[in-house]
Amino acid sequence: MGDHIAIDDRLLIGRRTLLDRQLAPAAYTLIYHDAGAEAESDLAGARLAANAFLEQGLERLTGSLPAFLSVNRALVTGRVALPPAPPTIGVEVSAGALADPGLVEGIRVLKGDGYAVMLHVDVPDVSERTLALADWVRLDYPRLGGETLHALAETLAAREFPVAAGNLPDYVAFDHCMASACALFDGPFLTAPRLITRAPLPANRAVAMELVARLEDPTCGIADLDDLIAQDATLAYRLLRYVNCAGVGVRREVESIRETIVMLGARTVRNLATLLVMARLDHPASRPLLLLSLIRARMCEQVAEQTGLAEPTAAFTTGLLSLIDALMERPMVELLDSLPVAAEIRLALLDRDGGLGELLEIAVGFERGDWPGLTAHVGHPTLHSETYVNAILWAEDNYELLATL
């Protein structure tokens, strides 16, 4: 399923999600890095980005939502020409950079070509001339601090700017910004569990965890797996529909769980059933968390096939379970005490240890745009950039399919 996008082997690409106040995806920031240059190459990186995002069609990564391409000087000043904007693509530029008159004029030209402008603000004072160029404003939480961000958000919202609180590290920061006039939010807070209470899991989550634990039990053979899934009529029905619709490797339509296990293998069926159980969890941010889980799972699986770092289906499991702590709102170590996963998966999820841990680090590195961190891992990171981009497309397609089951 899904389109395939070819990426230049020098380009690293990431996608960050801006969430609305209901924690649903509202916009994206598209980030990139030229890893092929020996030194920082503004012009070369700009050419790669322009080609990837606007000629190779990377706006497909964002669907119908607005997306902002983080731009450098060469793109802003026209040394690398950008075509008229696709309908949903804008640019993100640092407010500090616009002290340069040449950049100000470049942004005016881009706006005239149809590009919306997101202004990234990381200093308390922003000139009126700079604000006049902005359509959206993203406030950097770590650099501004909570109180300054709160005050700026109130001022900007009163002037009808859509205001985003950026780089939120945890739910404490998110809650603080929710109490402000910010309409959008991004940062690693989403992937950290909100530990609201030490009370027992709500009944529906407890049932889901019990089912996932039984699915992951290595002593559960083919007959046991067949019986386990068949006992949950909804799960069995959705699994058969998913397998027959998703193009996951079946050569013909399957009519039973046992037939599915024989054709795909027990480990693949465990992964698919676990995915379907996770998809029916209730969580305010279930959509972005499940999407990230799918992207990580696919990315880990595909890089495992390319590198031999780990067995691909185990890699898929690792990526899929890597955000179960955020979905369940419990510490990972506590959840893993009740999940009989293989030792190497446990080590990867807790400590990023072993080959599976390295695969997960690679997936998260692309997710967060951690370009320096990616260079510490196997091979050249750009070898996996195309894999990451296409993992996003695969995940989006599969999420939409899950929503129809």
Side-chain angles (χ1 to χ4, degrees), residues 267-333:
R267 180 67 269 173
T268 296
V269 172
R270 291 176 199 268
N271 281 339
L272 295 178
T274 297
L275 167 60
L276 290 166
V277 172
M278 291 172 60
R280 62 191 191 192
L281 286 171
D282 63 323
H283 187 285
S286 58
R287 178 177 180 179
L289 284 172
L290 190 59
L291 268 172
L292 282 177
S293 298
L294 284 164
I295 293 167
R296 290 184 181 187
R298 181 67 167 180
M299 180 69 174
C300 289
E301 176 189 50
Q302 294 292 296
V303 177
E305 290 182 354
Q306 295 163 9
T307 63
L309 273 171
E311 196 278 320
T313 53
F316 188 96
T317 304
T318 302
L320 186 63
L321 294 178
S322 64
L323 291 172
I324 198 167
D325 56 341
L327 280 163
M328 291 289 183
E329 299 180 324
R330 288 293 188 277
M332 182 66 81
V333 66

Side-chain angles (χ1 to χ4, degrees), residues 341-358:
V341 296
E344 59 268 25
I345 294 177
R346 180 184 177 90
L347 288 172
L349 293 174
L350 289 179
D351 303 319
R352 299 293 197 265
D353 197 16
L356 290 173
E358 185 157 11

Side-chain angles (χ1 to χ4, degrees), residues 112-175:
D113 286 338
Y115 287 89
V117 174
M118 178 180 284
L119 196 65
H120 180 185
V121 175
D122 58 7
V123 292
D125 299 315
V126 185
S127 70
E128 282 296 320
R129 183 188 69 167
T130 300
L131 278 177
L133 297 171
D135 300 292
W136 303 47
V137 178
R138 181 170 175 260
L139 302 176
D140 193 300
Y141 181 90
R143 290 184 176 273
L144 291 171
E147 297 308 316
T148 300
L149 184 148
H150 193 287
L152 275 173
E154 297 295 326
T155 300
L156 292 166
R159 298 175 60 172
E160 299 186 346
F161 283 107
V163 180
N167 296 323
L168 302 179
D170 50 41
Y171 271 100
V172 173
F174 169 74
D175 289 338

Side-chain angles (χ1 to χ4, degrees), residues 42-373:
D42 193 58
L43 187 59
R47 284 175 176 151
L48 289 172
N51 177 67
F53 288 107
L54 300 170
E55 293 180 27
Q56 295 297 324
L58 277 190
E59 68 271 16
R60 283 182 283 164
L61 292 179
T62 65
S64 60
L65 295 180
F68 295 87
L69 172 61
S70 181
V71 291
N72 62 20
R73 182 180 180 84
L75 287 168
V76 173
T77 60
R79 290 179 69 199
V80 173
L82 291 175
T88 59
I89 298 289
V91 295
E92 179 180 15
V93 63
S94 167
L98 293 181
D100 183 333
L103 294 184
V104 170
E105 181 56 32
I107 287 295
R108 288 192 177 121
V109 171
L110 289 176
K111 285 177 69 71
D113 286 338
Y115 287 89
V117 174
M118 178 180 284
L119 196 65
H120 180 185
V121 175
D122 58 7
V123 292
D125 299 315
V126 185
S127 70
E128 282 296 320
R129 183 188 69 167
T130 300
L131 278 177
L133 297 171
D135 300 292
W136 303 47
V137 178
R138 181 170 175 260
L139 302 176
D140 193 300
Y141 181 90
R143 290 184 176 273
L144 291 171
E147 297 308 316
T148 300
L149 184 148
H150 193 287
L152 275 173
E154 297 295 326
T155 300
L156 292 166
R159 298 175 60 172
E160 299 186 346
F161 283 107
V163 180
N167 296 323
L168 302 179
D170 50 41
Y171 271 100
V172 173
F174 169 74
D175 289 338
H176 183 86
C177 293
M178 274 287 283
S180 74
C182 292
L184 302 168
F185 312 87
D186 75 54
F189 80 94
L190 177 68
T191 60
R194 182 200 284 272
L195 305 179
I196 298 175
T197 176
R198 303 298 298 178
L201 281 171
N204 64 331
R205 293 188 189 180
V207 169
M209 273 301 297
E210 181 180 355
L211 183 52
V212 171
R214 295 175 68 189
L215 288 166
E216 294 298 329
D217 186 347
T219 66
C220 181
I222 290 178
D224 298 322
L225 183 59
D226 184 11
D227 290 342
L228 174 60
I229 296 173
Q231 288 169 15
D232 187 325
T234 300
L235 176 60
Y237 171 75
R238 297 180 78 219
L239 178 60
L240 288 174
R241 284 196 63 197
Y242 180 81
V243 168
N244 285 319
C245 293
V248 296
V250 295
R251 296 181 296 276
R252 55 179 172 76
E253 184 169 337
V254 293
E255 298 179 350
S256 70
I257 300 301
R258 175 65 69 96
E259 187 181 9
T260 303
I261 297 170
V262 170
M263 293 185 70
L264 297 180
R267 180 67 269 173
T268 296
V269 172
R270 291 176 199 268
N271 281 339
L272 295 178
T274 297
L275 167 60
L276 290 166
V277 172
M278 291 172 60
R280 62 191 191 192
L281 286 171
D282 63 323
H283 187 285
S286 58
R287 178 177 180 179
L289 284 172
L290 190 59
L291 268 172
L292 282 177
S293 298
L294 284 164
I295 293 167
R296 290 184 181 187
R298 181 67 167 180
M299 180 69 174
C300 289
E301 176 189 50
Q302 294 292 296
V303 177
E305 290 182 354
Q306 295 163 9
T307 63
L309 273 171
E311 196 278 320
T313 53
F316 188 96
T317 304
T318 302
L320 186 63
L321 294 178
S322 64
L323 291 172
I324 198 167
D325 56 341
L327 280 163
M328 291 289 183
E329 299 180 324
R330 288 293 188 277
M332 182 66 81
V333 66
E334 176 184 316
L335 295 175
L336 289 179
D337 284 343
S338 62
L339 284 178
V341 296
E344 59 268 25
I345 294 177
R346 180 184 177 90
L347 288 172
L349 293 174
L350 289 179
D351 303 319
R352 299 293 197 265
D353 197 16
L356 290 173
E358 185 157 11
L359 290 169
L360 188 54
E361 283 284 274
I362 291 170
V364 174
F366 276 98
E367 179 183 302
R368 296 184 177 177
D370 178 16
W371 313 135

